Amino acid sequence: MLRRKIQSPGPALPGAAGLAPQLLDALLLAARRFCAAPAPRQLLTQICLALSALALRAEGGVDGLFARMPHLPAPAVLELLTVLPEEAAQDQAGDTGVDAAARCRFTRELLAHAPAVLDFLHSQSEKVPADDDGVPLHERNRRILRCLLSWVRVGCFSETPATTLATHPLLTFAFNSLQVPFSFDVAIEVMTELVSQHQELPEAFLSKMPYIREVLLLPALANRNEKIIAGLACLMCEVGQAAPALVAEGGSQALALADALLRCVAFISEDWEIADSTLQFWCSLAHFILGSDVKTAKRNASQVLFLPVFSSLLDALLFRAQINTDEHGTDGAPCIPDGLAQFRMNLEELLVDICLLLGAPAYINKLFSRGWDFSSQSVPWKEVEVRMYALSMVADTILQDESPFDFSMIMHFVNILSSRTPVELNGSLFMVYKSFGDVIGSYSKWLSSSQSNIKPLLLFCASGISKSVSSNACSLALRKLCEDASSFILEPQNLEILFWISEGMDKGNLRLEDEEEIVSAITHALSSVHDKELRKSSLARLLCSSYSAVEKIIDIDRDNSLRQNPATYTQSLDLAVRGLYRMSALFGHLSTPITSGLVDDDIILVLLGIFWPLLEKLFRSSHMENVSLSAAVCRSLSSAIHSCGQHFHVLLPKVLECLSANFLRFQRHDCFLRTSAKVIEEFGHNEEFGALFVRTFETFSSASSISTLNSSYTCDQEPDLVEAYTCFTSMFIRCCPKEAILASSSLLELSFQKAAICLTAMHRGAALAAMSYMSCFLEVVLAAVLQSPECIPNGSPGVALIQILARCGEGLLSNVLYALLGVSALSRVHKSATILQQLAALCSFCERTTWKALLNWSSLCGWLQSTVLEDAGSDYLHSRTGDNIRNRQEYMQGKGGRTLKRIIRDFAESHRNAPTSCPS
């Protein structure tokens, strides 16, 4: 409690100079009293922490403390010297009462006493066991090392000459402590910290590598002492990373270091932390050898010298990356341990470096040099899997190298795997499918160049897709095959395999994203079918099961008895959702540039003729109350609209009617608002639909859920609804014809007011969405006034919008400033500054034109015409005129804009912890 009181002085402990010496003496007396048993060690630590906090805050506190230290017993001095340097760093526990300048002063005062401290530690390290201080020798040595570590971190050797640092007696003491298990870990920390701070030391430590390997590492490996192995690996990696040039020279000491770390990588343990800790060293060494800053001849010599090392490293990494366990996740699916998964993830960079060093041909040969028995019953699948993993990780490097690649061995394994029955596909074998799937996806262009490979590759994908572990890799591989081998895929037998894969999705055991990949792959293949009728029937066949699933759920609506079985109903809902996602994937792929030219209007109309009637029935069903189903319906509709384009013209009234009616029925389903925004984005430019868009806007605005968005509290309760509503209104004012804007002026004013309220929401997404709408609104207004600066045109939507701004602008400005209060304000600085800069730009422009009659904010003139805002407004106006209009997204350009943003950020930072009340 006393320590915390010193760190956060209040009325009970004023910072008066008279109290500090008394408190210092009292604490020193306590330290002398409680420095030995039976007093608990933690009590002495807390006393010393209090002394350190006091020394940090008192003028001359460090010198006063050191002057009194000779009167303390050695254990108390050692503990005090251990915790003192920790005050030089910012206290992460919340001690923010001392500024950086005071800590710098404290550090300088500490380092002035560093020579005396080092002498004290040296004398303590030479004490004989018979010295009677009540502390066992091994414990005393550990405390000495802990104290030395604290002072090394604060820079106690910064003034020590480089020639004497390596032979300093305390470094010798730390090195010798490596042979004492009780102090080993602290000694490792001391030397690792020293190597990282002083560039002269790695060479000295490198000379000790043969000793470290022979005397320390090899016995630890033989005894399987993981603590010693891990610590030595950490130290050796730090030495190697600090001096890659010395290691790359390849002397006996460097090779001893490399050999020692190779042994650490190959060491088998229950986790992969030791091997993982060495990866950064190997990467830094490889980067140095491959780096352009090394002379070519020298680099080639290093590369030749280290080729055997990196070849052996590849063997060790493959050995450690093998999956030797049959673990299962919570869903019962096979999986690999988290540590191994992380190790494999971290391996990618190093495998690429090894491939570059060895060369692509040598790397590939290394992977396939095993003398495997090719009979399907005796394949060492774990070895095969890890080599496929290593091959997929370097795909980009090998593809760029373009060296000849014999895929016969891969295809042999693919043939074996594709012939497995479902009963045989268990356990870790599916990890083999995953790695082969990654290889096929990465090298699909090369693998699919031979027509004879297509069928076994498709069959392999079909097998791998059936299990969750490998489904993603194999579905991606299928898509790559369909893209890269479109001419071969179109053979009847291959098309049947594709349909067989699509029918397998009906089992419902795949993730939605995997099903989308499969549908996209098959759609791509079918889009390339030359026969128009076959293409049409094939695409219809692909969607047949999806249509059936949707029809089944519609039939349940007609017969309520089918709802009596909840399990059956839930399954039917799930199948319908999956079917809708597949439809979305198909329509989405038809709109991509790669297939849009291959599918003619007749096929689009056929698909649309089947799709829309089903969707319309769903919209009118009671099942739309299900969030997942309604989201799937809206997603598929959005994809179809984007893909079919003008073919939706005749359906547009029905589409918007269904969306608005369903929103009134289920007002928490924001997907209806978002999809309506997509419709307006696609067709808003068509003047014939202006009245339709206005009616839709009116319907949405009449919903009770929208009407209740009248406080920041309700906005925080419905953030998704706020985002969807502001997205819709943004699209409305940006895309709709001017007649629709004029007819909706009252609705737009209401939306403006609600968005201004939403600016103050605590929910970051809701507030930023409202700010985006406000910025969009102001952008449209500014564009309107810039088009007609000399006169106010009759019937201009700009007139209606600027009148809304004139009536509601003061409230907007008030809420923009309110949004900059509180802990989440900093994320809103940029958008707030943009809105204010846009407002200033409008005021600046309107003051000089006839628009001044419409925009007159007398209550805001004093601030809006101040220097900063006036400059910011001029900068923004400059960016929106002439050639500068191309940079329309770069609002914060110019000195004025940047100054405004800085002022707002400073305001937000200074008020982030201020208490706030809800605005009226």
Side-chain angles (χ1 to χ4, degrees), residues 733 774-789 796-799 801-803 805 834-849 851 855 872-881 885 888 891:
I733 64 169
M774 285 301 186
S775 185
C776 175
F777 190 101
L778 294 171
E779 175 71 15
V780 173
V781 173
L782 186 58
V785 298
L786 287 174
Q787 285 179 355
S788 182
S796 168
V799 175
L801 295 178
I802 207 168
Q803 287 174 340
L805 196 56
T834 299
I835 290 172
L836 292 174
Q837 193 175 11
Q838 289 173 304
L839 285 171
L842 275 168
C843 287
S844 174
F845 184 81
C846 291
E847 285 294 325
R848 305 192 301 267
T849 67
W851 291 90
L855 187 63
S874 299
D875 290 340
Y876 184 85
L877 193 60
H878 175 71
S879 71
R880 296 295 297 121
T881 55
I885 200 169
R888 59 180 300 175
Y891 295 143

Side-chain angles (χ1 to χ4, degrees), residues 157 159-167 200-201:
F157 288 110
E159 300 299 325
T160 304
T163 54
T164 61
L165 180 58
T167 58
E200 311 86 12
L201 286 181

Side-chain angles (χ1 to χ4, degrees), residues 397-555:
T397 304
I398 291 178
L399 290 172
Q400 290 173 10
D401 187 79
E402 296 184 347
S403 297
F405 193 165
D406 182 6
F407 285 96
S408 59
M409 188 176 295
I410 293 177
M411 290 308 303
H412 178 81
F413 290 131
V414 165
N415 279 303
I416 295 175
L417 292 169
S418 62
S419 63
R420 295 274 174 149
T421 62
V423 178
E424 298 176 277
L425 304 180
N426 292 313
S428 60
L429 187 59
F430 266 100
M431 299 306 300
V432 180
Y433 278 85
K434 180 185 183 303
S435 294
F436 269 94
D438 290 333
V439 168
I440 293 170
S442 300
Y443 299 93
S444 62
K445 189 167 291 186
W446 288 0
L447 284 166
S448 60
S449 60
S450 173
Q451 185 173 356
S452 60
N453 289 345
I454 302 302
K455 182 178 178 181
L457 288 171
L458 291 177
L459 290 172
F460 167 84
C461 290
S463 299
I465 283 169
S466 63
K467 288 290 185 179
S468 60
V469 175
S470 53
S471 61
N472 182 255
C474 291
S475 59
L476 288 171
L478 179 66
R479 178 174 60 79
K480 291 291 293 179
L481 286 171
C482 290
E483 290 174 358
D484 294 334
S486 55
S487 58
F488 295 151
I489 290 285
L490 300 181
E491 292 188 4
Q493 60 174 353
N494 294 333
L495 288 178
E496 285 304 315
I497 296 174
L498 292 179
F499 282 120
W500 176 51
I501 293 173
S502 71
E503 290 162 3
M505 293 190 296
D506 296 336
K507 298 176 182 177
N509 58 352
L510 298 180
R511 296 181 301 175
L512 290 174
E513 50 265 38
D514 295 338
E515 290 193 358
E516 290 184 33
E517 288 289 351
I518 294 169
V519 171
S520 295
I522 301 174
T523 302
H524 182 89
L526 298 180
S527 299
S528 303
V529 173
H530 299 298
D531 186 285
K532 181 178 177 180
E533 291 302 317
L534 178 61
R535 186 163 68 242
K536 186 187 303 183
S537 62
S538 297
L539 287 170
R541 180 182 174 184
L542 176 60
L543 289 181
C544 181
S545 61
S546 301
Y547 291 150
S548 299
V550 175
E551 285 175 341
K552 184 176 181 180
I553 202 72
I554 293 172
D555 290 339

Side-chain angles (χ1 to χ4, degrees), residues 749-808:
E749 183 167 351
L750 183 65
S751 71
F752 189 98
Q753 293 168 348
K754 292 187 178 299
I757 292 171
C758 294
L759 295 179
T760 64
M762 290 296 294
H763 190 279
R764 181 174 178 271
L768 293 181
M771 288 183 172
S772 295
Y773 169 56
M774 285 301 186
S775 185
C776 175
F777 190 101
L778 294 171
E779 175 71 15
V780 173
V781 173
L782 186 58
V785 298
L786 287 174
Q787 285 179 355
S788 182
E790 301 302 329
C791 64
I792 302 175
N794 292 327
S796 168
V799 175
L801 295 178
I802 207 168
Q803 287 174 340
I804 294 172
L805 196 56
R807 288 192 293 268
C808 307

Side-chain angles (χ1 to χ4, degrees), residues 170-432:
L170 283 175
L171 268 68
T172 303
F173 171 72
F175 187 81
N176 292 337
S177 298
L178 291 175
Q179 300 182 58
V180 182
F182 190 75
S183 57
F184 173 84
D185 56 336
V186 188
I188 286 289
E189 285 192 77
V190 169
M191 289 187 288
T192 301
E193 190 71 31
L194 282 167
V195 169
S196 66
Q197 286 191 19
H198 301 278
Q199 60 183 6
E200 311 86 12
L201 286 181
E203 184 173 3
F205 275 98
L206 195 60
S207 66
K208 300 179 184 293
M209 283 304 136
Y211 176 87
I212 290 175
R213 183 187 64 176
E214 297 297 328
V215 177
L216 300 177
L217 180 62
L218 292 182
L221 290 169
N223 297 325
R224 300 192 55 77
N225 191 326
E226 294 192 22
K227 175 184 174 182
I228 301 296
I229 299 168
L232 292 175
C234 177
L235 175 60
M236 291 186 292
C237 287
E238 191 69 39
V239 171
Q241 285 178 250
L246 289 174
V247 178
E249 289 177 1
S252 60
Q253 298 161 350
L255 293 177
L257 170 67
D259 176 75
L261 286 173
L262 277 175
R263 294 173 186 271
C264 292
V265 173
F267 176 74
I268 301 175
S269 61
E270 292 184 358
D271 58 44
W272 290 262
E273 290 183 5
I274 295 175
D276 195 58
S277 68
T278 69
L279 299 184
Q280 195 57 47
F281 159 74
W282 294 112
C283 285
S284 64
L285 178 59
H287 290 170
F288 185 85
I289 295 173
L290 294 168
S292 58
D293 58 329
V294 183
K295 293 182 179 179
T296 305
K298 189 175 181 181
R299 186 186 72 181
N300 291 340
S302 297
Q303 192 164 347
V304 171
L305 183 63
F306 277 93
L307 279 180
V309 174
F310 280 96
S311 180
S312 299
L313 175 63
L314 180 57
D315 287 334
L317 293 173
L318 294 176
F319 177 69
R320 290 297 286 129
Q322 278 190 32
I323 303 172
N324 292 313
T325 58
D326 288 332
E327 292 195 10
H328 292 77
T330 55
D331 58 352
C335 64
I336 62 176
D338 292 340
L340 178 55
Q342 185 63 47
F343 178 62
R344 284 187 163 210
M345 188 181 303
N346 296 340
L347 268 184
E348 180 176 358
E349 181 183 0
L350 180 54
L351 289 175
V352 171
D353 291 338
I354 294 174
C355 183
L356 290 171
L357 278 168
L358 301 182
Y363 183 91
I364 295 168
N365 183 62
K366 185 77 175 173
L367 295 181
F368 295 106
S369 61
R370 308 288 292 182
W372 288 320
D373 182 354
F374 284 124
S375 62
S376 60
Q377 301 301 319
S378 58
V379 175
W381 287 115
K382 292 177 181 178
E383 290 186 28
V384 173
E385 185 278 331
V386 77
R387 281 164 168 72
M388 292 303 104
Y389 154 78
L391 183 62
S392 66
M393 288 294 100
V394 298
D396 291 341
T397 304
I398 291 178
L399 290 172
Q400 290 173 10
D401 187 79
E402 296 184 347
S403 297
F405 193 165
D406 182 6
F407 285 96
S408 59
M409 188 176 295
I410 293 177
M411 290 308 303
H412 178 81
F413 290 131
V414 165
N415 279 303
I416 295 175
L417 292 169
S418 62
S419 63
R420 295 274 174 149
T421 62
V423 178
E424 298 176 277
L425 304 180
N426 292 313
S428 60
L429 187 59
F430 266 100
M431 299 306 300
V432 180

Side-chain angles (χ1 to χ4, degrees), residues 616-633:
E616 188 175 17
K617 292 176 183 177
L618 264 183
F619 270 123
R620 303 188 190 285
S621 73
S622 60
H623 306 295
M624 293 299 286
E625 65 181 339
N626 182 275
V627 176
S628 298
L629 183 69
S630 60
V633 168

